[in-house]
Amino acid sequence: MLILGLETSCDETGVALYESERGLLAHALHSQVELHAEYGGVVPELASRDHVRKILPLLREVCRQAAVAPSQIDGVAYTRGPGLIGALLVGAAIGRSLAWAWQVPVIGVHHMEGHLLAPMLEPNPPKFPFVALLVSGGHSLLVDVQGIGRYRILGESIDDAAGEAFDKTAKLLGLPYPGGPALAKLAEQGDPQRFRFPRPMTDRPGCDFSFSGLKTAAINTWRALESSPENRADVARAFEEAVVETLAIKCRRALHATGLKRLVVAGGVGANRRLRERLWELAAELGGQVYYPRLEFCTDNGAMIAYAGWRRLAAGQGEDAAIEVMPRWPLDSLLAA
Ligand code: KG4
Ligand code: ZN
């Protein structure tokens, strides 16, 4: 079964071809970073217009890379939500129209399900059940994953998502958009001992997160130092350490509460080097295993959507021709497959 995957939920147009026997055949991505950079963040209307421009050229490119003709495609998967509504509508309209023209089934995929299944694209994929830490620009979730669509939320952010906290703190420190990777890069030069920020909500039970206070701690510290650039890397490092340590503490709790040994980490913040190192250490200490997607599949991409779509289409799920997206869509409301 050959599946076309389309990702257009935010500021990346991702297109991929996944084949059930041979795995991922091709993938292509267009990042809108340059388009939004001058505004310091994603401008939804510009995002939608750019998806419209890029999606079909990217489709042509993946067909060429994989030496596949559109007539060989057996199904289409697109990101149905959550995300920016105009951006989602581009993938939904094009995905469903292609499926109708090609007379093949189509499925709308949950973006976070795509992220949490992304490690399945790697050579040593995790087996169910596992705990998933999903940390992106819009969500921070700890999920007990028993199978496809069998998700129990163990904890989530009560305010900013982890990626959002990275982005906002980076902006306050005067770093360019996109802030998360820029802050992480700067933090590499910082002294981890100089400042210590709180580990929010670790003093009470449970797996929920709160990150907005850390942003405030970082900015107050930096302003107290009169915003001098030579202190910026140390502040960035303290912020990153606090986020990483908080996530590690909550992962430990989630593994303990579920009795599971496998931890999957996905979403854009999963690309953070310090977080990856820290969770390797945690897994080693607990005698467990941690699974990540390759770096380029931590952030948004079409491959994870093609894969998740294949799992659902192979289970006989699919949709009729009406076009609908879900800008808000709770992960624990999905059907099992
Ligand atoms: O999953 P993703 O590509 O898009 C969403 O679904 O939101 O995640 C993007 C988020 C952004 O907030 C970005 O700043 C963050 O992931 N991010 C990072 C790093 N790379 C991306 N945060 C910290 N360190 C990184 N290396
Ligand atoms: Zn994402």
Side-chain angles (χ1 to χ4, degrees), residues 53 67 94 106-107 114 121 184 223 259 317:
R53 277 193 289 271
I94 291 186
V106 58
I107 184 98
L121 292 161
R223 288 199 178 132
Q317 297 179 1

Side-chain angles (χ1 to χ4, degrees), residues 111-112 115 136 299-300 304:
H111 181 79
M112 299 311 289
H115 275 305
S136 72
T299 45
D300 294 348
M304 66 185 194

Side-chain angles (χ1 to χ4, degrees), residues 15-231:
V15 179
L17 286 167
Y18 183 88
E19 215 268 330
S20 44
E21 304 298 316
R22 290 188 290 156
L24 186 65
L25 299 186
H27 66 99
L29 188 83
H30 174 77
S31 164
Q32 302 180 353
V33 160
E34 280 175 28
L35 179 70
H36 301 294
E38 66 175 292
Y39 304 97
V42 179
V43 184
E45 178 61 25
L46 295 183
S48 315
R49 292 184 204 177
D50 203 54
H51 289 306
V52 172
R53 277 193 289 271
K54 297 294 163 25
I55 196 164
L56 291 177
L58 290 175
L59 169 58
R60 249 180 242 120
E61 189 182 323
V62 293
C63 284
R64 190 184 48 74
Q65 273 180 34
V68 154
S71 59
Q72 292 170 265
I73 293 171
D74 301 306
V76 178
Y78 65 90
T79 304
R80 186 179 180 203
L84 302 170
I85 187 156
L88 291 168
L89 279 168
V90 177
I94 291 186
R96 289 204 178 192
S97 304
L98 289 173
W100 194 43
W102 296 338
Q103 291 292 298
V104 296
V106 58
I107 184 98
V109 168
H110 193 293
H111 181 79
M112 299 311 289
E113 175 170 82
H115 275 305
L116 90 79
L117 296 178
M120 302 284 187
L121 292 161
E122 301 307 325
N124 175 27
K127 290 191 174 59
F128 297 119
F130 53 76
V131 168
L133 172 69
L134 299 179
V135 272
S136 72
H139 297 82
S140 302
L141 294 170
L142 267 164
V143 191
D144 174 349
V145 178
Q146 294 291 323
I148 305 277
R150 295 171 59 204
Y151 308 134
R152 186 167 62 93
I153 309 281
L154 301 167
E156 59 194 317
S157 178
I158 60 163
D159 43 51
D160 293 350
E164 187 180 3
F166 264 94
D167 294 338
K168 286 182 177 170
T169 307
K171 202 169 185 174
L172 291 168
L173 294 177
L175 295 171
Y177 162 89
L183 191 150
K185 192 156 187 288
L186 180 68
E188 283 178 21
Q189 298 147 35
D191 174 1
Q193 309 299 337
R194 179 143 177 233
F195 305 111
R196 192 179 191 282
F197 295 157
R199 276 59 173 147
M201 294 184 69
T202 52
D203 54 350
R204 57 181 115 156
C207 292
D208 286 337
F209 310 100
S210 164
F211 291 114
S212 71
L214 276 182
K215 176 186 67 191
T216 314
I219 198 59
N220 287 345
T221 303
W222 196 47
R223 288 199 178 132
L225 299 162
E226 294 173 343
S227 308
S228 63
E230 67 269 20
N231 294 311

